[in-house]
Amino acid sequence: MTAALEVSRLSFGYGSQPVLEDISFTVGRNESVGIVGANGSGKSTLLWCIAGLLRAKGTVRLFGEPSSRSSRARLAMVFQNPEDQLFMPALVQDLALPLLNRGVEREKAFREAGARLADFGLEDYRDRPAAHLSLGQRKRAALALALMRDPELLLLDEPTAELDGRAVRLLAGALERIPAAKLIATHDLGFLRRTTTRTLLLRAGRIAADGPTEELLANEPLLEQAGLI
Amino acid sequence: MGHALRLAASGGLLAAAVISARLAGIPLAAAAGAAFAIHLALRRRLRAALLSLVPIAMFAGVILALGWFGGADPALAARTIAVFLLSTAAFRVAPWKWAASQLSPRSRLYTFGLFLLFVRHFAEILAAESRRTLQARGLCVRGTLGRGGFSSLGWAVVSIFRRTLLRAERFHAAQSLAGIVS
Ligand SMILES: Nc1ncnc2c1ncn2[C@@H]1O[C@H](COP(=O)(O)OP(=O)(O)O)[C@@H](O)[C@H]1O
Ligand SMILES: [Mg+2]
């Protein structure tokens, strides 16, 4: 089977300032891969390039096909700042929208949206707008929304940044149950250990290491050099 | 209030906004006064209600000044205020939650309804970013007349636009990823 994601020789800069240089890696189907790197090392930018939201040099292939509107429909992403992924007057309407858009019956769409919110411990907020949630709750809501599309590749940007301990544990458990390839950008090394088997280390826009998460986390000089410990 | 009542009120206010754009003289003054009363009634807290009028009052002042120099109709400023207050009131009382729950891709109004919800989200982004930026400025600047008062206000306004633009970009990215816009 072809890989879920193949990135080759990807480079990107905002204006003339290079941010990503010559990035190549693949993510297998159902593989869970971490991207670590200090603040500003280019993690978010890399995810945006993969999602086709920024135009980069090099190639991105999704499920063996060139990145296109239809191949990108098979991926979902949770932004580092997810407040703008949710905009309806009620949370349940946000989650139902992708289903309605796909032609699912209204009642069924709302039933599934409500069930998904309950899965994420947000049933008390179903009729409230996302703007009334805390940042951590909003992050969970954005993940719940991403899953409404049954993505085969899930891109997560700093998923634990605002979560409390219990929410992190629940998130790690939930991710394990999702049958999709995952690419998780984070600087939370504990979460990385729990949720990924392989990790890419990003330093100043280049891949400084690519290997088993355990091995990478044991390499203290490398982590220190990358500004992670 | 039930959604039917809110829908009617919102529609009535919008119609009043359209009509007041064509008024002059005493009817226009009455419309502006009524719009002002509705604005106060909806905001409840007097101080906040008056403060929220500062931008539109400034805008009307500019129009008035331009009219003064250019000889244009001074009623334009009053119309601007009346239309602005009535249409924002219509926006506030509109039954958004009910309307959004009626959204169906099979309906002919689907695209238009989504468009209205996007506009609403943008308005909320602008309001939230303004509030946050001005509060942040208020924490480090005492009074507008003190040292750095004016320049910091200027930079705060610039940063509101920058941040609003950034959030608008992110919102567009999110909706294009979701396949809702292209
Ligand atoms: N919109 C932007 N315009 C210009 N530079 C940017 C923009 N967004 C990010 N950058 C720069 O790109 C680099 C990588 O940022 P980012 O991908 O957000 O890093 P990370 O997610 O790893 O913290 C940083 O140096 C940052 O300053
Ligand atoms: Mg980031």
Side-chain angles (χ1 to χ4, degrees):
Chain A
M1 202 148 65
T2 53
L5 170 68
E6 294 161 76
V7 174
S8 67
R9 315 221 54 179
L10 184 140
S11 299
F12 179 82
Y14 292 102
S16 59
Q17 179 205 8
V19 173
L20 299 171
E21 285 182 76
D22 202 19
I23 304 271
S24 301
F25 65 95
T26 61
V27 176
R29 304 271 171 130
N30 297 335
E31 194 182 13
S32 183
V33 176
I35 305 177
V36 285
N39 298 138
S41 56
K43 303 183 293 294
S44 297
T45 305
L46 178 56
L47 292 186
W48 278 57
C49 288
I50 291 169
L53 297 169
L54 294 173
R55 274 183 193 286
K57 276 201 233 112
T59 56
V60 173
R61 292 178 74 81
L62 297 162
F63 311 99
E65 294 168 34
S67 171
S68 69
R69 222 179 136 78
S70 68
S71 63
R72 285 198 295 271
R74 296 163 76 176
L75 69 77
M77 174 162 165
V78 179
F79 294 174
Q80 185 165 1
N81 305 69
E83 68 263 39
D84 294 311
Q85 297 189 271
L86 306 153
F87 68 96
M88 296 288 267
L91 208 49
V92 69
Q93 293 169 347
D94 272 310
L95 268 73
L97 189 58
L99 298 183
L100 290 172
N101 217 338
R102 227 192 284 156
V104 175
E105 260 335 290
R106 192 204 312 280
E107 248 172 59
K108 186 164 183 276
F110 277 90
R111 197 161 0 97
E112 286 184 20
R116 181 80 71 182
L117 282 176
D119 278 348
F120 281 77
L122 292 167
E123 61 271 35
D124 292 346
Y125 298 90
R126 59 169 275 148
D127 293 319
R128 295 222 244 147
H132 290 185
L133 303 184
S134 79
L135 204 49
Q137 289 170 328
R138 225 175 287 164
K139 207 108 185 193
R140 265 191 281 161
L143 177 61
L145 171 66
L147 297 182
M148 296 308 284
R149 284 152 53 84
D150 293 322
E152 295 164 73
L153 172 62
L154 189 58
L155 310 177
L156 300 175
D157 199 351
E158 308 276 7
T160 63
E162 297 84 13
L163 301 191
D164 56 34
R166 180 162 162 276
V168 171
R169 190 158 43 74
L170 289 176
L171 178 64
L175 282 181
E176 213 170 356
R177 290 192 300 273
I178 298 168
K182 284 153 240 162
L183 193 55
I184 307 174
T186 182
H187 51 247
D188 180 342
L189 301 183
F191 187 71
L192 198 67
R193 182 175 280 129
R194 264 193 237 174
T195 54
T196 65
T197 48
R198 194 178 123 219
T199 292
L200 312 172
L201 178 74
L202 218 54
R203 192 172 67 218
R206 289 176 178 275
I207 292 187
D210 175 354
T213 301
E214 280 304 330
E215 244 170 60
L216 199 127
L217 290 180
N219 190 340
E220 285 194 15
L222 186 68
L223 295 178
E224 200 171 336
Q225 222 177 18
L228 286 163
I229 52 173
Chain B
M1 252 201 295
H3 63 253
L5 198 56
R6 293 181 61 160
L7 195 63
S10 182
L13 285 163
L14 264 186
V18 171
I19 291 168
S20 66
R22 312 198 58 116
L23 296 179
I26 292 175
L28 175 59
F36 185 66
I38 291 169
H39 177 78
L40 291 189
L42 283 177
R43 298 297 287 241
R44 292 197 189 92
R45 301 228 315 273
L46 187 63
R47 201 180 122 84
L50 292 176
L51 273 179
S52 68
L53 286 175
V54 170
I56 183 66
M58 278 166 62
F59 186 65
V62 170
I63 291 181
L64 212 55
L66 287 178
W68 185 277
F69 289 118
D73 184 2
L76 198 55
R79 283 195 199 117
T80 305
I81 290 189
V83 170
F84 175 80
L85 292 180
L86 288 168
S87 46
T88 49
F91 190 86
R92 285 180 82 90
V93 300
W96 289 105
K97 204 179 276 187
W98 169 80
S101 72
Q102 299 299 307
L103 210 60
S104 157
R106 272 183 291 278
S107 150
R108 264 178 300 163
L109 289 175
Y110 179 66
T111 313
F112 183 63
L114 266 184
F115 171 73
L116 284 184
L117 285 163
F118 284 6
V119 170
R120 172 177 179 272
H121 186 67
F122 277 121
E124 276 173 2
I125 288 179
L126 189 58
E129 292 295 340
S130 309
R131 204 177 322 116
R132 223 184 304 172
T133 306
L134 294 177
Q135 275 167 351
R137 173 180 169 274
L139 286 177
C140 42
V141 177
R142 305 213 173 280
T144 302
L145 296 177
R147 203 165 166 198
F150 269 118
S151 67
S152 68
L153 187 61
W155 285 114
V157 171
V158 169
S159 100
I160 290 172
F161 280 109
R162 232 184 355 231
R163 291 171 50 150
T164 305
L165 199 65
L166 202 72
R167 285 195 56 183
E169 271 172 14
R170 215 150 58 203
F171 178 59
H172 182 266
Q175 301 322 318
S176 80
L177 253 190
I180 293 174
V181 300
S182 54

